[in-house]
Amino acid sequence: MKKILIVSHGAALGGSPISALNIGRYINKKKFNVVYVFGEDGPIVEQARYEGFKVYVAKKKGFSFYSFNFGLY
């Protein structure tokens, strides 16, 4: 099974965060394991977790993100 990391800058219930969540909803789950990173906490984070996805919220400092290991390798 291949792992896919999907990153979205926002966490509102609309626009690109919903599109990102839809990728995980409709991808072949027998072939792919989806992990999400959102740029902030919000309703889409709660929804993704409720649907059973592994979700991280990136901590931001200015325009740069802290780096951390997601264990995807």
Side-chain angles (χ1 to χ4, degrees), residues 10-22:
L13 284 176
S16 62
I18 287 289
S19 296
L21 185 57
N22 282 335

Side-chain angles (χ1 to χ4, degrees), residues 3 5 35-37 54 56 58 68-73:
K3 294 182 181 179
L5 178 65
V35 176
Y36 287 98
V37 174
K54 188 163 196 168
Y56 295 92
F68 48 96
N69 182 354
F70 296 108
L72 297 176
Y73 302 103

Side-chain angles (χ1 to χ4, degrees), residues 3 5 7-8 17 19 25 27 35 38-40 43-44 47-48 53 56-57 62 65 70:
K3 294 182 181 179
L5 178 65
V7 180
S8 180
S19 296
R25 285 173 171 161
I27 199 164
V35 176
F38 292 99
E40 60 188 13
I44 200 74
Q47 184 63 36
F53 294 105
Y56 295 92
V57 176
F65 286 90
F70 296 108

Side-chain angles (χ1 to χ4, degrees), residues 41-57:
D41 202 2
I44 200 74
V45 172
E46 295 173 25
Q47 184 63 36
R49 286 182 176 145
Y50 176 78
E51 293 183 25
F53 294 105
K54 188 163 196 168
V55 180
Y56 295 92
V57 176

